[in-house]
Amino acid sequence: VDKYPRPWPPFLGADLGVQQKEGSDATAFWCMAVDVHGDGKRLPLDAFEERLTGPKIIDRLKAWQKRFAPVMMVENNAAQDYIRQFAGAAGIATLPFTTGKTKADPSFGIPSLGVELQQGMWILPCGDQRSQETVTRWRTQCLNWSPGQHTGDLLMASWFAREAVREATPAATGGSYIGAGSAASGVW
């Protein structure tokens, strides 16, 4: 992606890993801009997947809030809700997301991302090596997804970002977009 196509608002999904030991789930962020007033195209702006401590997760949320000013959706199952609470105490507004049976729903869950890809709604970056590697990991997680198995962290974060779009766009809010502020000019 050469240019961030403002005025598309940004949305961030955060899948939080709370353990630091080897083999534990990583924390993943997925930030994307969405043409909420047009055809709904999704443009990933940045993403990462790594193990972070709680304070480092909060620092990263602050940095991405400053960089993109996105609507943020953060998983709040079990211990992940502590991170949301700490984020709130740090002045970072987040929407909660509780994973459950919806994850496998063909209309609203992980499978619906595949439908969006088939419909050409995603504009995937193919610029620098980091973005190519991240998109390749995400695509691999998409292709390997299976109900009842562990879902990749980038895939979960992208789904949370998409759910933030659904929760904060006109159809879900009765006519007005709920934005978190103007986006920064940085792109992935």
Side-chain angles (χ1 to χ4, degrees):
V1 175
D2 295 336
K3 183 179 177 187
Y4 173 58
R6 282 191 249 164
W8 293 7
F11 297 87
L12 181 138
D15 182 36
L16 305 175
V18 295
Q19 298 290 323
Q20 294 302 297
K21 61 186 174 196
E22 189 65 33
S24 298
D25 292 343
T27 291
F29 286 10
W30 184 276
C31 189
M32 64 185 185
V34 179
D35 184 3
V36 297
H37 301 294
D39 61 7
K41 293 278 192 212
R42 288 109 163 77
L43 175 66
L45 301 174
D46 204 348
F48 80 89
E49 177 181 45
E50 62 185 272
R51 280 192 205 90
L52 298 174
T53 64
K56 292 287 186 192
I57 292 170
I58 298 300
D59 289 346
R60 190 75 59 98
L61 281 170
K62 285 180 186 176
W64 283 41
Q65 180 184 43
K66 183 176 182 179
R67 183 175 168 201
F68 297 112
V71 172
M72 295 187 187
M73 182 160 277
V74 177
E75 182 177 25
N76 71 337
N77 291 358
Q80 290 99 338
D81 196 52
Y82 283 117
I83 300 297
R84 280 197 67 248
Q85 293 171 29
F86 294 138
I92 303 167
T94 62
L95 300 171
F97 190 88
T98 305
T99 54
K101 290 185 264 183
T102 308
K103 181 163 57 169
D105 186 284
S107 298
F108 302 106
I110 299 288
S112 66
L113 296 176
V115 173
E116 292 175 1
L117 284 162
Q118 286 179 325
Q119 293 174 341
M121 292 181 68
W122 288 73
I123 305 166
L124 298 176
C126 57
D128 66 7
Q129 182 176 349
R130 186 178 77 82
S131 65
Q132 290 176 22
E133 290 170 356
T134 303
V135 167
T136 298
R137 279 196 321 275
W138 177 75
R139 185 175 37 228
T140 299
Q141 291 176 14
C142 289
L143 293 171
N144 290 334
W145 182 80
S146 178
Q149 301 296 317
H150 172 72
T151 303
D153 302 309
L154 280 172
L155 178 55
M156 288 296 288
S158 68
W159 180 46
F160 295 158
R162 201 287 305 278
E163 289 302 293
V165 174
R166 287 178 5 103
E167 185 149 328
T169 54
T173 62
S176 62
Y177 162 71
I178 301 172
S182 61
S185 61
V187 296
W188 187 7

